[in-house]
Amino acid sequence: MHKKVLLLLSFLLISLRINAQKPQKLTSNQIYEKVQKLNFLGSALYIAAHPDDENTRLIAYLSNHEKARTGYLSLTRGDGGQNLIGPEMRELLGVIRTQELLAARGVDGGEQRFSRANDFGYSKHPDETLKIWDKDKVLADVVWAIRTFKPDVVINRFNHRTPGTTHGHHTSSAMLSVEAFDLANNKTKYPEQLKYTDTWKPNRLFFNTSWWFYGSQEKFAKADKSKMLSFDIGTYYPLKGLSNNELASIASSQHLCQGFGRLTTRGTQTEYVEFLKGDFPKDKKDIFSGINTTWNRVEGGGEIGDILYEVEQNFDFVTPSTHLPALLQAYQKVQKLKNNHWKSIKTKELKEIIEACAGLYLEASAESSSATPKSTISIDFEVLNRSGVSMELSSIKVLPENKKIKKDLDLANNKKKTFTETILIPEVVYSSPYWLQKPWDLGMYTVEKQELRGKPETPRPIQIQFNLMIENQSISFVKPVVYRYSKRDKGEIYEPFEVLPKVTTKLLNKVLIFSSESPQKVTVEVRSGAKNTNGTVALKAPKGWSVMPSEAVFSIAQKGDIQLIDFMVIPTQKESEGVLKAIAKVEGKNYDKELVEINYNHIPKQSVLLVSKAKVVRLNIQKNGTKIGYIQGSGDAVPESLQQIGYEVTELNVNEINGNLEQFDAVVVGIRAYNTIKELQFKQKYLLEYVKNGGNVIVQYNTNRGVDVQAPYNLQLSRDRVTNENADVAFLAKEHSILNYPNKITKADFEGWVQERGLYFPNKWSKEYTPILSMHDKGESVKKGSLLVAKYGKGNYIYTGLSFFRELPAGVSGAYKLFANLLSVKENTTDEN
């Protein structure tokens, strides 16, 4: 029990350390570990495709056992996945997963990089992946990552030699890495990058293999391992009180939106890497064997090493400030290094260690969490030296404007200095993820600035440079402006300080379905980013649509307050689709952004600016019945979508289902409900009883991992899926009411689908089921399990893997018609094949 408590405390301490924007406060153990890392001049870059692909065991081992600078290049931000903790999807999900990756790196000690590739969803083959991605641009980004990170060792998570055996993104990441390994040192390839960096040739390339890639542990045991290196990644770190694999488990658990919370593991565990290219290491237990990772690696580094190895060997855990004179001497020598790469890295590391050894606390906290360009804001400063070393704050500089403010404050031991300054916010780029600031497409994000490519997040808009004299030596520390406040029920809270527009707008519904010619009220939420904001707002409608009034006036007194303004939107008579945009005007300037705030406890608060718009669809749709019961699974926006076309949707609490379903015309089970809600298995009898008595139940997809959907007849889930959203669809049961009532379904209704047709289709079922559709990806067998219906008693049981959870929120007309038909299946359904 005592051990479990210690592990829990370790987890909580690490979680608190990386939570939100709280400044890192290092213990003596942590300072010592950073000194060890300071004295290792070697690096490794791990490459894969998505958040959660990374092997945190190996990243943690390289970073904490080898002390190497270790990076993870995830080609995508996981935008095409699913979200188990909230409603955010696509680009907003990518924002969450980016921060979860940073949280994971905060635990395992790695650094994070990305490419411009957009995760467009599951892909079965790298040919498809590299067609949708712009292969040359993604390859350029991998080359850029190698040239800027300058790894000695590159490690691929996946096997480049087995296309078609796993996710196309996975294999593509390895294929691009193998190609980039050679190109990074070629001056004729992507020469525009050389304005900002130099070419680089890594020493060796590996594939992080395991028994999984061989199909079984038995096959792996028999495999030729002559080109493999192996490591025991279960090593124990007494300074942390954790084993390496425990640390790795905690890092993986940061991927909460993917449901990666897991138990920690410990004990001996072997990890393998297969040599692919470069210089084969002499020692098969040391991935850096034969590579000079000492200070002698760089010209002039020997003297620095003499100083810093002494600090490491005689580290004073009780009074780390004892080492400040030596650290400052080393810092001065590092500034004279000709090798700019290691100079930059080691300067950053040394500053962090000097700051921690001095117990130095530097903070700039704004009076609010945001401000607008050309406005002023008050910032409270706190400066504290908790050592006996002579120290003075000579000045501060406000970045990026480089405005210098003279201070000349003597920082006596443990005597806090506070002061307040009012600064002018310059015309900087708004605080928003840089990869979302330009229009993007299915496969790629647009990032024009080379220097931004690969960065995990946008640099903070306003930073403060604290210029100090420590023992008569000039040294500066840069800190982002934060917003620090407290809540009685939560304690101290840190949030990022953001620069945001003076006004933002939001259309409350992102998809507006007009099922008749009747006008609809459309509400625009106008939010003020400053006090006393006055202006007008208008809706720009697509051709053939009209809006009343043409514009409306708003007046908002308080910053952060909102005003709701209603418009009437009149659709076209014929079916059509378009985009409705909200545009506000203040003092002659147009504002067309919506502010999306993402706020979860395990990541810093995120402010995302997107174009303020909604999709409008004029749809001639018929429906039968009005009351729908909905059981949410892992979370989707299907209920809101059904409300858009006039259904009255009641979200059901599983624990309260006890045979009271007869009031509904149909009951819908949300995506992955049987995967995520254990209690649902105990309520299945009520669902089947409802069907037996004449009700319709529609069950949406579940993964096939150890789940039983408890259908009335035998139904076996598989991993079958159709990833091409434009794949041809054939009608197997042309006379079935699902294809005819109350809407006639044609092939045109499968046009304009997004991301995929569907996933996790059943591949075996009993004769009671009627398959309605067939579809398949190129080169694959026909899949008939996307939509199955069975009579059960007086009602109908429907199972579908079609991705309605993506299509309805995207406003796909045909998907709405087909779903309306599912909800309206008639009692006299015939089993036509």
Side-chain angles (χ1 to χ4, degrees), residues 240 400 407 469 517 559 571 611 651 719 732 755 764 820:
K240 297 180 186 294
K407 284 298 167 187
M469 293 294 293
E517 299 176 21
K559 175 182 176 180
V611 175
E651 293 200 26
R719 296 182 65 83
L732 299 176
Q755 190 157 325
K764 293 181 182 179

Side-chain angles (χ1 to χ4, degrees), residues 429-463:
V429 176
Y430 293 132
S431 302
S432 188
Y434 69 86
W435 62 96
L436 300 179
Q437 292 174 3
K438 297 285 185 180
W440 60 90
D441 59 33
L442 177 64
M444 296 295 295
Y445 286 111
T446 302
V447 182
E448 294 176 348
K449 287 187 176 181
Q450 181 69 52
E451 312 97 296
L452 284 176
R453 293 175 189 172
K455 288 185 179 295
E457 54 186 346
T458 307
R460 301 312 308 160
I462 307 296
Q463 301 184 71

Side-chain angles (χ1 to χ4, degrees), residues 641-811:
S641 299
L642 296 180
Q643 289 169 347
Q644 280 277 315
I645 55 174
Y647 284 104
E648 180 186 333
V649 183
T650 302
E651 293 200 26
L652 303 175
N653 183 329
V654 170
N655 294 317
E656 295 176 0
I657 296 175
N658 55 12
N660 54 343
L661 302 175
E662 66 280 352
Q663 60 181 302
F664 300 112
D665 297 304
V667 173
V668 182
V669 181
I671 61 171
R672 298 176 67 173
Y674 291 93
N675 295 119
T676 58
I677 307 175
K678 293 181 179 180
E679 295 80 7
L680 190 55
Q681 61 182 311
F682 306 117
K683 302 296 182 176
Q684 190 68 8
K685 60 182 179 181
Y686 298 118
L687 290 175
L688 295 182
E689 180 183 347
Y690 166 73
V691 177
K692 198 171 186 178
N693 292 333
N696 290 334
V697 164
I698 297 101
V699 179
Q700 298 179 83
Y701 98 93
N702 290 265
T703 65
N704 66 336
R705 297 174 186 173
V707 67
D708 180 7
V709 297
Q710 299 179 339
Y713 310 111
N714 184 47
L715 188 71
Q716 183 173 312
L717 303 183
S718 73
R719 296 182 65 83
D720 287 353
R721 62 202 302 162
V722 176
T723 61
N724 182 357
E725 63 270 29
N726 299 311
D728 185 56
V729 177
F731 297 165
L732 299 176
K734 295 180 181 179
E735 304 304 317
H736 199 288
S737 70
I738 282 179
L739 297 178
N740 295 280
Y741 177 82
N743 302 286
K744 179 68 175 178
I745 303 299
T746 69
K747 287 200 172 185
D749 292 308
F750 289 91
E751 295 175 0
W753 283 49
V754 298
Q755 190 157 325
E756 63 199 352
R757 289 295 190 201
L759 62 172
Y760 290 99
F761 300 160
N763 63 353
K764 293 181 182 179
W765 52 85
S766 65
K767 61 181 178 61
E768 287 84 3
Y769 293 97
T770 299
I772 305 297
L773 306 169
S774 74
M775 57 190 70
H776 65 94
D777 282 322
K778 182 180 179 181
E780 294 194 353
S781 61
V782 169
K783 306 294 186 291
K784 298 182 179 180
S786 64
L787 179 55
L788 303 173
V789 59
K791 291 292 297 181
Y792 182 66
K794 298 179 181 180
N796 299 280
Y797 180 90
I798 300 171
Y799 189 93
T800 179
L802 293 172
S803 59
F804 288 109
F805 71 100
R806 297 194 192 280
E807 312 311 323
L808 299 187

Side-chain angles (χ1 to χ4, degrees), residues 17 22-27 30-31 356 361 386 492 494:
R17 179 167 60 86
K22 290 187 177 181
Q24 193 177 34
K25 301 169 185 176
L26 302 179
T27 65
Q30 291 169 320
I31 298 172
Y361 187 82
R386 287 172 285 193
E492 185 177 58
Y494 282 79

Side-chain angles (χ1 to χ4, degrees), residues 31 45 80 110 129 144 150 219 300 338 348 436 453 560 590 592 599 660 729 778 781 811 816:
I31 298 172
L45 182 63
T129 298
W144 172 254
K150 301 191 184 310
K219 290 181 180 179
K338 295 178 181 179
K348 181 180 177 181
L436 300 179
R453 293 175 189 172
N590 288 340
D592 64 350
N599 203 359
N660 54 343
V729 177
K778 182 180 179 181
S781 61
Y816 273 93

Side-chain angles (χ1 to χ4, degrees), residues 276-338:
L276 298 177
K277 281 187 177 186
D279 302 326
F280 192 83
K282 296 178 181 179
D283 183 353
K284 293 178 68 174
K285 295 291 182 182
D286 181 6
I287 203 168
F288 291 99
S289 175
I291 300 172
N292 187 353
T293 59
T294 71
W295 274 102
N296 287 322
R297 175 175 188 160
V298 294
E299 183 183 346
E303 293 181 358
I304 300 170
D306 290 341
I307 299 168
L308 295 177
Y309 294 137
E310 174 72 20
V311 172
E312 180 181 346
Q313 292 166 10
N314 299 287
F315 189 77
D316 188 336
F317 286 86
V318 177
T319 314
S321 60
T322 302
H323 302 293
L324 281 171
L327 292 169
L328 288 166
Q329 184 185 7
Y331 173 80
Q332 196 170 33
K333 291 181 179 295
V334 166
Q335 305 317 299
K336 298 177 183 178
L337 289 177
K338 295 178 181 179

